[in-house]
Amino acid sequence: MIAVRALPNPGTLAESVSARDRSAVARALNLLDDKRPDARRYAARLLATLPADRLYRTGHLIGLTGPPGAGKSSLTAALVQVWRGRGLSVGILAVDPSSPISGGALLGDRLRMLSGELDDKVFIRSLACRGEFGGLSAEVWPMSLVMLAAFDIVLVETVGVGQKEIDVSKLTDTTCFVAQPASGDSIQFLKAGIMEVPHVLVVNKEDIGLAAKKTLSELRSTLKQPSDDDDWRVPALSASAAQGTGIEALANSLEAHRSWLERQGLLGSSRQRFQAEWVIKRLLEEFGRFGIECLGGKTVLMEKLMDTQGSAFDQYDLLQEQFLSDCAGETASLAR
Amino acid sequence: MKNNDKEVKRDRPWLMRTYSGHSSAKASNELYRTNLAKGQTGLSVAFDLPTQTGYDADHPLARGEVGKVGVPIGHIGDMETLFDQIPLDKMNTSMTINATAAWLLSLYIAAAERQGVSPDQLQGTTQNDIVKEYLSRGTYIFPPAPSVRLTTDIISYTVHQIPKWNPTNVCSYHLQEAGATPTQELAYALSTAIAVLDAIRETGQVDASAFANMVGRTSFFVNAGIRFIEECCKMRAFVRMWDRIAKDRYGVEDPKLRRFRYGIQVNSLGLTEPQPENNVQRIVLEMLAVTLSKNARARAIQLPAWNEALGLPRPWDQQWALRMQQVLALETDLLEYGDILDGSPIIEAKVQELVQGAEKEMRRVREEGGMVQAVETGYVKRQLVTSHTARMRTIESGDLNIIGVNCFTETAESPLTSGTDSGIMKVDAAAELEQIERLKAFRAGRNDADVEAALDNLKDTARGGENIMESSIRCAHAGVTTGEWSNVLRNIFGEYRAPTGIDISAQSMGRSDTVELLRERTRRTGEDLGRPLKILVGKPGLDGHSNGAEQIAVKARDVGFEVVYEGIRLTPEQIVKAAEEEGVHLIGLSVLSGSHLELVDDALKRLAKLGLSELPVIVGGIVPVEDEQNLKAQGVAAVYTPKDSDMNLIMADLVNIIREHNGLKRFEDAA
Ligand code: B12
Ligand SMILES: Nc1nc2c(ncn2[C@@H]2O[C@H](COP(=O)(O)OP(=O)(O)OP(=O)(O)O)[C@@H](O)[C@H]2O)c(=O)[nH]1
Ligand SMILES: [Mg+2]
C-alpha cells in the first residue's frame, strides 16, 4: 500500500506548463478536475500563477460545435494538419456526452483526431460532460486556460444542437458551427433565434454533393450580415474533412475572426468576462446565493472581477477569504 | 435425388481443410505436406499479421508478430518455398487474405508460373472480403472506396484469367465471432455480396455473360454456432435468399449459377478455456448444422481444435479436428441420403422466420445507403457490439448456459493440459529473426532497377483506374516485398480506422444488484480520488481481436467508469501517450495475438520514461500461465484470460487495483 498521493505544487506546475511541458499539462488538467477541497485551492493557485500574457493576449481559443456525427472530430483532425503545417501547436478538449444512469462515459473521439504520425505538439484530453453546466463541464474553462498556456491553439469540441451551442460560445474566442448536410435543424434554430449565431459556419461533407450545397445556401440565406463595416461578418463555408477540401479556408476564417477580436480590443476582455463568470459560478457553488449576496451581489462582483488587472483567480482566493472572515460565521461550517 | 430413390449414391464428401501456417514458409510447407498425407484434401493458408496488414518482417509494427499466428510471406521466394513439392495445378488452395489479397494472389500466380503452371489451371479461393475486416477481423489497411476497388479488380481479373478461382469469399463467419445473431449474419453477408457485385457491375470491366458466371463464382464463408437446429435453418435460409437475389437482382437464369456455395468454420467464440475437452462436443454438433441438409450442405469444412481458447493448436490437435470430419463423412451414413429435412414444417417455419428477419435488416442497411455506407457510419458495428453485449449479459446472468463456465464448473484435473507444453503450440521466438535475415538476403539478391520499375508501374496503375493485378504480378516476379507493395498503395489510397461501435446506448446495461453495487464503488472511489475514475483500454500491436476490449469498455462504462478506447492496432507508444494526455487511473491492455510479452514490456518501459510507472497496468487476452507470472514480475497488476468470464468480478477488481495504487483500502466483500 502506497501513501495517498501528494498533490503537485501549483507554482512549479504552472512553470512547467508555461514551459510547454506535456506531462505537466496532463497533471495540471488532472488537478483542475479534482474536486477535493485541497485540490481546488491548489488549482486556483495554479491558475493564478499562469502567465497573464498567455491567458489574455496570445493564443486562440476555438469552440467547434454541431450536431452528432457532423464531422467535428474529422474536421479537427484536418485542421490540426493545417495548423501543424503552419508550425502551431494544438491542444484539444473533446467533450463527450456521458451516460446519465451510470455516470460512466465512452470517450472514443480521439480516434478521428489521430492523423497518423505521433506528434508531441498535439495534445488531446477527452472529457465526459457529466451532465452539468448546461451540457458543458465546469472544468472546461479552466482546462482551456491551462492548455492556452501551453499550446498556440486550443480547440474545444462539443456536441451541440440548438440551445446547447451557447455554452461553448461563452467560453471561446471563436465559435465555429459545423452543419450536417441535409439536416434542417440548425437552420431552423438559427432562424428562430434559439441558437446563438456562431462566428464561423461550415457545412462539412461537401464531397457528398448536392445536399451539402443546398444546406450551404440555406444557411447563407438565414444569416443577417451587419451593416456596419466594423462588425464581424459571419462566413458560411463549405468543406470536406474526408477529402481535405476547404480546410485551409476554414483555418483562415477562424484566424480572421481572432484578428478581428484583437483589432476591436475584444480578445482579452471577453476572456476576462468568461473568467469572471466562472469565478462567480465557483463561489456560488461553494457558498451559495447567500455567499454571493454577502460579497456584494452578482453585478458588483462581476464589475470587480472584470476590473482587476491580472488574475481573477487571485480575486477568487481573496473573495474566499473575505467570505470566511466577513460573513462566514454561522454558515461556514455548513458550506465547507 | 429423392430419398425413395433406390439407387441413392453416396454423396461426395466436402473439402476438408485445417487452417494452418506458422513460423516460416519452410516450416509451413512441411506441415502442409504432412496434412495432405493424412488425407486432408485442400490447403487453407493462415498468414501472419504483418503479411495480412502489409508490413515486412523488419518493420517496427511487425515486432513480435512475425510467424506467430500464421506464415510470413514477404516475397516470391517465400511463396515458392511454401508450395515446394506441392503441384499447384492439382492443389486447391484457400487463402485467408484480404487487404493484401491482390498481392498474395499475385505471388501465388507468379510462384505457379515458376512451377510451369499457367494461371488458368489454378484452383482456390482468396477471401478478399474487406467489409468484414472493418466489422470484425481487423486486417484492413485502406479506406473503403479503394479497398472495394481492389476487391473488384481481383474478381474481374480472375473471372477472365483464372476461371476456376473463387475470387471472393463473402464472410459472415467473422461476424458471428463478433457477436452477430443468425439474422444479422444472413443480412450482413448478403448485403456485402450485393455491395461487391453491384460495384463490379458499375466498373464495366465485365460483360453480361461473364457477370452471371461471376455471380456463380461468388462463394461464402459462414459460421455455425451451438444452437445447431437454428443454424441448420440459417443455412437453408441462405440458400433460398441467395437464389432469389441472383435471379431477381442479377437476372441469372441458370440455377447452377445461383447456388449458395459456402465453406464453413464452426463457432469458436463459444469454445471455452475451462474444461476445454467439452469443445469437442461443441465442434461436432456445430458441424451437423452445416452437413445435415443435403441441399444446404457446406462445400468445405474447417474445424477449430479442442484447445482453441488456450492458444494455437499443435499438429495433433489439428489432426483430431480433421478426424472429426472424416468420421462424420466416411463412417456415418449421412452422405447416403437426400435432404432429410425437406418437408418438415418446423424447419420450414424457422427458415421463414430467419428469411423475414434478415430481409428486414437488409432493408435497414439499404436505408443507411448500402453495406459500405452502413459500415462507415458505424451502424453495423454498433449492431454487432450490441448483440455481443446482450450475449455477455445472458452468460453473466446464467440465462445462457455454458457448461464448465457458468454451470457445472467442478472438474477433475485434465490430462490434456498437464503436458510439458501445456497443451498448445509454441512458436519459436527465433522465427522472427530468421525471417528478417532471409528477407535481407532476398533484398540483397534482387535487381533493384527491376524492382523500381515494377513499383513505378504499380503506382501508375493505382493512380489510374486500370486493374491492379497485372502490375502486381510484375512486382511479384521483380522481387518486390509485401511491405513495398503495400506502402505504394498506402501512400496513394491513404489509411483508414474503422468505427469501434462501442458507442451503443445503455439499454442492455443491466440493473442487477451487483451492477448497482459496482457503480456505487466506482463513484465512491472517484470521490475519494477527487475525480471520476477514468481508464484507458488499449489494443497494442497488429492484433485485431477487439471483442474483449469492446466488452470491457462497454461494461466499464456501464458501471460508471469514464473509458477511453480508440480501437485496434495502436502502437504501445500511441497508447502510452494517450494514457498520459487523458489522465487515466489505469491502463488495460488487451492482446490475443500472442505478442503480449513484447508489447507489454514496451508499454511499461515507455510509461517509466514518462514518470508514470505508478499507473497500474493490467493485461487481458490469450495469455498462457507461465507468461502470466512473467508479466506480473514485470509489474503488471493483474492478468485476465477467457476463463475470467464474469466481467462483474473483473470490474470489482479494477476498482480495487486503482484503490490500492492510490493508497486506499480495498473493498473487501466480493462483488
Ligand atoms: C472471436 C475470435 C476471433 C474473431 C475476432 C472478432 C473480434 N472483432 O474480436 C475473428 C474471427 C475475427 C478472429 C480472427 C483471428 N484469430 Co481469433 N479468436 C477468436 C476466439 C474464438 C475468441 C476471442 C473472443 O473474442 N472471446 C470473447 C471475448 C469477450 O473474450 P476475451 O477477448 O478473451 O476477453 C476476456 C478476457 O480475456 C479478458 N480480457 C481481454 N481483454 C481484456 C482487456 C482488459 C482491460 C481486461 C480487464 C480484461 C480483458 O476479459 C474478457 C472477458 O472475459 C479466440 C479463441 C478463444 N475461444 O478465446 C481466437 C484466437 C484468439 N484467435 C486466434 C487467431 C490466431 C486469429 C487470427 C490471427 C488467425 C489468422 N492467422 O488470421 C485471426 C486474425 C485476427 C486479427 N486481425 O488479429 C488465436 C490466437 C493464438 C494465440 N494468441 O496464440 C486464438 C486463441 C484461436 C486459436 N487457438 O488459434 N478471431
Ligand atoms: N462523406 C464524408 N463523411 C465524413 C466527413 N467528415 C466526417 N465524415 C464521417 O462522418 C462520421 C462522423 O464523423 P466524426 O468526425 O466522428 O463526427 P463528430 O461530429 O465528431 O461526431 P460526434 O463526436 O459523435 O458527434 C464518420 O463516419 C466520418 O467518417 C466528410 O467530409 N465527408
Ligand atoms: Mg466527435
Side-chain angles (χ1 to χ4, degrees), chain A residues 198-236:
Chain A
H199 304 117
V200 176
L201 275 168
V202 57
V203 178
N204 187 34
K205 312 193 186 181
E206 67 175 3
D207 52 291
I208 65 173
L210 209 61
K213 278 212 180 72
K214 201 160 155 260
T215 307
L216 181 68
S217 72
E218 281 176 40
L219 271 179
R220 281 193 172 140
S221 69
T222 56
L223 286 176
K224 289 185 208 69
Q225 295 296 1
S227 44
D228 192 334
D229 277 354
D230 276 351
D231 282 350
W232 173 248
R233 300 182 72 84
V234 177

Side-chain angles (χ1 to χ4, degrees), chain A residues 5 26 74 88 253 255 276 317 335:
Chain A
R5 265 168 227 305
S74 308
L88 302 167
S253 283
E255 169 58 23
D317 270 6

Side-chain angles (χ1 to χ4, degrees), chain B residues 201-268:
Chain B
R201 209 160 45 172
E202 273 161 37
T203 63
Q205 287 186 31
V206 181
D207 64 30
S209 79
F211 192 83
N213 281 331
M214 206 155 47
V215 174
R217 290 233 66 86
T218 304
S219 58
F220 291 79
F221 183 52
V222 182
N223 207 323
I226 194 68
R227 293 169 52 81
F228 75 99
I229 306 289
E230 182 174 19
E231 294 289 38
C232 186
C233 296
K234 178 184 79 187
M235 301 323 309
R236 299 173 78 90
F238 259 130
V239 169
R240 193 171 300 176
M241 292 177 80
W242 184 240
D243 181 77
R244 266 186 223 155
I245 292 169
K247 188 153 184 233
D248 300 347
R249 191 178 182 95
Y250 299 116
V252 177
E253 291 303 331
D254 181 354
K256 270 205 212 118
L257 296 179
R258 301 200 302 260
R259 258 190 225 152
F260 183 75
R261 296 158 56 245
Y262 73 99
I264 162 107
Q265 154 114 8
V266 303
N267 181 288
S268 316

Side-chain angles (χ1 to χ4, degrees), chain B residues 483-549:
Chain B
E484 289 164 344
W485 182 88
S486 309
N487 251 349
V488 163
L489 300 191
R490 272 195 174 91
N491 289 335
I492 294 169
F493 296 155
E495 289 183 69
Y496 186 70
R497 296 191 64 80
T500 60
I502 60 166
D503 46 335
I504 58 170
S505 60
Q507 82 263 6
S508 52
M509 161 149 93
R511 280 185 151 277
S512 67
D513 294 353
T514 322
V515 172
E516 291 296 346
L517 177 71
L518 286 168
R519 264 180 218 158
E520 176 58 18
R521 288 180 174 188
T522 312
R523 196 186 53 74
R524 256 172 56 202
T525 307
E527 276 171 19
D528 290 343
L529 296 178
R531 58 193 175 102
L533 294 190
K534 191 173 185 181
I535 63 172
L536 180 138
V537 178
K539 288 229 29 104
L542 296 178
D543 178 19
H545 291 93
S546 58
N547 287 340

Side-chain angles (χ1 to χ4, degrees), chain A residues 6 28 42 56 71 75 81 94 100 110 137 155 168 174 187 196 215 221 248 252 261 281 289 314 319 324:
Chain A
Y42 276 53
Y56 301 115
L75 272 179
Q81 278 191 347
R110 302 177 59 90
S137 299
L155 183 145
V168 82
T174 304
I187 295 156
E196 191 126 320
T215 307
S221 69
E248 289 270 349
N252 292 343
L261 284 174
K281 199 157 217 135
R289 267 180 210 295
D314 280 330
L319 288 166
L324 293 175

Side-chain angles (χ1 to χ4, degrees), chain A residues 214-279:
Chain A
K214 201 160 155 260
T215 307
L216 181 68
S217 72
E218 281 176 40
L219 271 179
R220 281 193 172 140
S221 69
T222 56
L223 286 176
K224 289 185 208 69
Q225 295 296 1
S227 44
D228 192 334
D229 277 354
D230 276 351
D231 282 350
W232 173 248
R233 300 182 72 84
V234 177
L237 311 168
S238 165
S240 161
Q243 317 253 296
T245 52
I247 310 297
E248 289 270 349
L250 176 59
N252 292 343
S253 283
L254 296 169
E255 169 58 23
H257 181 253
R258 188 193 179 282
S259 306
W260 178 83
L261 284 174
E262 197 146 40
R263 273 201 313 277
Q264 304 287 316
L266 291 172
L267 189 69
S269 64
S270 68
R271 287 190 196 168
Q272 240 161 349
R273 196 177 64 245
F274 302 150
Q275 187 162 337
E277 279 165 2
W278 181 84
V279 169

